Amino acid sequence: MSPQRFDLVVTGGLLADPLRPEPVPGDLAVRDGRIAAVGAPGALAGADRLDATGLLVAPGLIDLHTHVYDPGTDLGVGADAVGVHQGVTTVVDAGSCGSDAFDDFTENVVGPAATRVLNWLNISRHGLVHGRRELSRGPDDIDEAATEKVLREHPGQARGIKVRMSASVLGDSGLAPLRAAKRVAGRAGVPVMVHVGNEPPRLGDVLDLLGEGDVVTHAFHGKPGGLFGSERQARSAVERGVRLDVGHGSASLSFATAERALAAGFTPHTISTDLHNRNVEGPVHSLVTTLTKLLALGLTPQQVIRCSTLHAAQVLRMEDELGTLRPGSAADLTLLRHTQEATTLTDADGATRTAAGRLTAVAVVRAGTPRSLPVP
């Protein structure tokens, strides 16, 4: 490709492609919002250059679990505030809206955002618009036909179904909402993301209904029950392709649970935040802070990057578009600094751990356009 046809060359950094075992020195060229070429240091020329010296050049980070329906719900936080302003190029809203409010969400959140915004559509027709007991009224809360219609008519936007399966949400609905979500998902050919927390229902009973490609978010919470209250069923679920997601949230990442899980072989497949306006000032803060918390638990920088890029893209069934540095994929990039400095971090239960190093987002490239991050 002729050098003058490159719109941008990112030069001097370490390319942290999750398809590789480790980052490698190299340059990356962008044209028309796509990655056009990857080459050795100094091998690519272009009119505009982005100096990434000393930085990791990763695919654009993907936060698989956020709440960005602002002001449609009382939890909503601005998509760009937790997206491109924090080094994240794609956020997925996890069930803030259902079929009733999908058009409003698309017009007022997706349209204005510089960040790519996708959806897990709530199986509740109301989503979280009327509060957080959206499945407590039984069949009246669910419109399977309307949910399926949204999924079929907006496949690029609505990537799957969210269902919250904890006692505080369900009332007397039991497992019925999850069964409805699985029916609709099966007909539409999409995955299901399941929120788990306070039992009932037992996590094991939830896991038994899930299949390959489905996601359990809040998998590493410290509440009674959880992974180690249903360990046999959890292992079986992981073996058949159910994905474990962090979903940090205000009450759903326990360092103690995560350490026990890692020791037992339960490694998170994806790392997400559950960011909303009640935890963005703490304990969650950002996706990059959450990645650093997993560094403190022993994962490597390449592992946490893989969890928040390639693995997230695979869950969304968008790995041909997002999550790698392959030529032809979207030119969404996150430039990260990995510094060797002791950092004390706090989980959702108030426990602390110290990481020997930390990740900091320095800049993003979104659809080929570089963006510096606001000064903290």
Side-chain angles (χ1 to χ4, degrees):
M1 183 177 292
S2 174
Q4 58 266 32
R5 295 189 64 195
F6 295 150
D7 302 323
L8 175 72
V9 173
V10 183
T11 183
L14 290 173
L15 301 180
D17 191 327
L19 294 173
R20 290 179 172 271
E22 297 293 339
V24 296
D27 290 356
L28 180 149
V30 172
R31 180 174 66 87
D32 294 337
R34 298 270 162 188
I35 296 174
V38 175
L44 304 175
D48 292 327
R49 302 178 74 78
L50 178 60
D51 185 2
T53 301
L55 304 177
L56 295 168
V57 180
L61 298 182
I62 302 168
D63 195 339
L64 203 61
H65 183 162
T66 65
H67 291 281
V68 295
Y69 195 5
D70 176 29
T73 69
D74 64 358
L75 288 178
V77 64
D80 289 341
V82 298
V84 291
H85 294 170
Q86 291 190 338
V88 177
T89 57
T90 298
V91 299
V92 191
D93 185 276
S96 296
C97 78
S99 55
D100 286 357
F102 180 80
D103 290 343
D104 182 72
F105 181 92
T106 301
E107 180 180 355
N108 292 300
V109 177
V110 178
T115 308
R116 178 187 282 104
V117 181
L118 304 172
N119 287 79
W120 295 98
L121 189 68
N122 203 314
I123 189 60
S124 165
R125 62 185 300 169
H126 323 291
L128 304 181
V129 171
H130 301 308
R132 291 185 291 284
R133 288 180 56 80
E134 71 272 17
L135 292 168
S136 61
R137 297 188 306 166
D140 289 344
D141 290 322
I142 296 174
D143 186 336
E144 292 189 30
T147 301
E148 183 177 352
K149 183 173 186 287
V150 170
L151 292 166
R152 290 190 180 281
E153 292 183 354
H154 303 276
Q157 176 64 40
R159 306 301 302 182
I161 299 176
K162 172 74 179 294
V163 55
R164 298 205 303 150
M165 296 301 293
S166 61
S168 59
V169 177
L170 292 168
D172 296 325
S173 296
L175 292 168
L178 178 54
R179 292 192 174 100
K182 287 294 295 180
R183 284 194 297 270
V184 177
R187 294 194 296 265
V190 299
V192 171
M193 172 183 272
V194 182
H195 155 125
V196 296
N198 290 315
E199 300 181 357
R202 268 187 78 248
L203 176 59
D205 295 335
V206 170
L207 292 170
D208 285 346
L209 295 176
L210 302 182
E212 183 177 3
D214 292 333
V215 180
V216 175
T217 191
H218 307 317
F220 304 93
H221 67 71
K223 301 166 188 174
L227 281 177
F228 295 101
S230 301
E231 185 171 354
R232 178 186 59 79
Q233 288 154 300
R235 291 194 184 280
S236 177
V238 170
E239 287 172 2
R240 65 177 180 269
V242 176
R243 308 306 194 184
L244 302 182
D245 175 58
V246 169
H248 186 318
S250 299
S252 297
L253 173 60
S254 161
F255 284 146
T257 298
E259 286 165 339
R260 184 181 176 189
L262 288 167
F266 291 112
T267 303
H269 186 71
T270 51
I271 300 171
S272 70
T273 61
D274 184 23
L275 269 168
H276 51 71
N277 64 19
R278 299 183 185 180
N279 63 34
V280 69
E281 299 298 328
V284 183
H285 300 291
S286 69
L287 178 57
V288 175
T289 299
T290 303
L291 299 184
T292 299
K293 293 181 185 186
L294 273 296
L295 293 182
L297 299 180
L299 273 64
T300 68
Q302 193 71 348
Q303 283 178 303
V304 300
I305 288 170
R306 188 175 293 118
C307 286
S308 55
T309 56
L310 175 62
H311 287 181
Q314 289 170 336
V315 166
L316 296 168
R317 303 178 183 180
M318 296 181 71
E319 61 268 35
D320 292 336
E321 177 77 0
L322 305 175
T324 74
L325 300 181
R326 287 180 297 207
S329 58
D332 285 2
L333 309 171
T334 301
L335 276 58
L336 297 163
R337 179 174 285 114
H338 182 217
T339 53
Q340 301 298 317
E341 58 180 277
T343 304
T344 300
L345 301 148
T346 304
D347 71 3
D349 296 334
T352 60
R353 297 291 187 273
T354 299
R358 70 175 298 158
L359 291 171
T360 306
V362 175
V364 297
V365 176
R366 170 72 179 100
T369 300
R371 293 173 175 270
S372 299
L373 303 190
V375 177

